[in-house]
Amino acid sequence: GPEASFITARIVGDSVSAYVRGALLNVGRRVGVASGQAVVTGEGLAGRIAEVGDNSARVLFVTDVNSRLPVLIERTRERAILAGDNSPQLRLTLLQSVAGVQRGDRIVTSGHGGSFPVGIPVGEVVETGEGSVRVRPFADFSRLEFVRVVDYGVTGLVGGGPSAPAAAPAGVRIR
């Protein structure tokens, strides 16, 4: 597939919209930021771009209650959905079997849904209980200053990437 390109961004404010867990970045559409692009730290996935302006963008963190992410348990390759609940940890849901999940298992993106490629680190299983699995994200949201907005060249369910120009009607020349 295409090589990923990235833009380094500074977090300039907390989100003050319906997104409880998010931030405002100092980059936007003018430098190539688009909805759905991944936002990563040196440790792993922090979230995705939710809204874009000309010179700014809002990040929806993976810990937000509105965040859902198709993931894999790296050791077993079992698919699941990682859901935020506005707490510091995430919930692993829609597992076929919780029994195979172990404390310390790494969680990575699955590539399903077309939003992100396979294998971006997201977090580590810290608790397994009766029908419940909790994951600690690798990104430390309390200390974020700079992030990378990454364009992996995939456009899936979320959108993202530049849209193709509309085709001209038959017989019309575009200069």
Side-chain angles (χ1 to χ4, degrees):
E3 286 194 32
S5 61
F6 68 89
I7 299 161
T8 301
R10 183 180 184 114
I11 293 180
V12 293
D14 292 334
S15 182
V16 288
S17 70
Y19 307 122
V20 176
R21 302 288 184 234
L24 184 65
L25 302 180
N26 70 338
V27 295
R29 195 175 296 112
R30 288 189 180 168
V31 294
V33 175
S35 290
Q37 290 176 334
V39 177
V40 299
T41 67
E43 293 78 32
L45 184 70
R48 71 178 62 190
I49 298 295
E51 297 176 70
V52 183
D54 285 341
N55 298 306
S56 63
R58 286 197 190 279
V59 179
L60 177 72
F61 289 147
V62 293
T63 54
D64 188 274
V65 72
N66 296 303
S67 176
R68 301 289 182 273
L69 183 65
V71 295
L72 289 173
I73 300 165
E74 193 173 52
R75 181 180 53 82
T76 65
R77 307 307 286 176
E78 186 176 359
R79 294 183 201 161
I81 299 292
L82 195 60
D85 61 5
N86 288 345
S87 75
Q89 295 181 349
L90 308 161
R91 291 181 288 115
L92 205 56
T93 62
L94 301 178
L95 290 170
Q96 290 183 351
S97 169
V98 177
V101 181
Q102 298 174 2
R103 189 179 168 120
D105 280 346
R106 279 176 35 111
I107 306 299
V108 298
T109 57
S110 70
H112 289 84
S115 298
F116 305 122
V118 176
I120 302 172
V122 182
E124 176 182 21
V125 174
V126 292
E127 183 182 318
T128 59
E130 195 69 32
S132 171
V133 177
R134 300 294 288 178
V135 174
R136 178 188 52 82
F138 288 135
D140 182 356
F141 299 99
S142 67
R143 303 183 76 188
L144 284 183
E145 289 183 56
F146 292 93
V147 294
R148 286 189 173 153
V149 180
V150 185
D151 183 0
Y152 287 101
V154 292
T155 54
L157 300 175
V158 177
S163 56
V172 175
R173 273 179 70 183
I174 299 177
R175 296 178 189 214

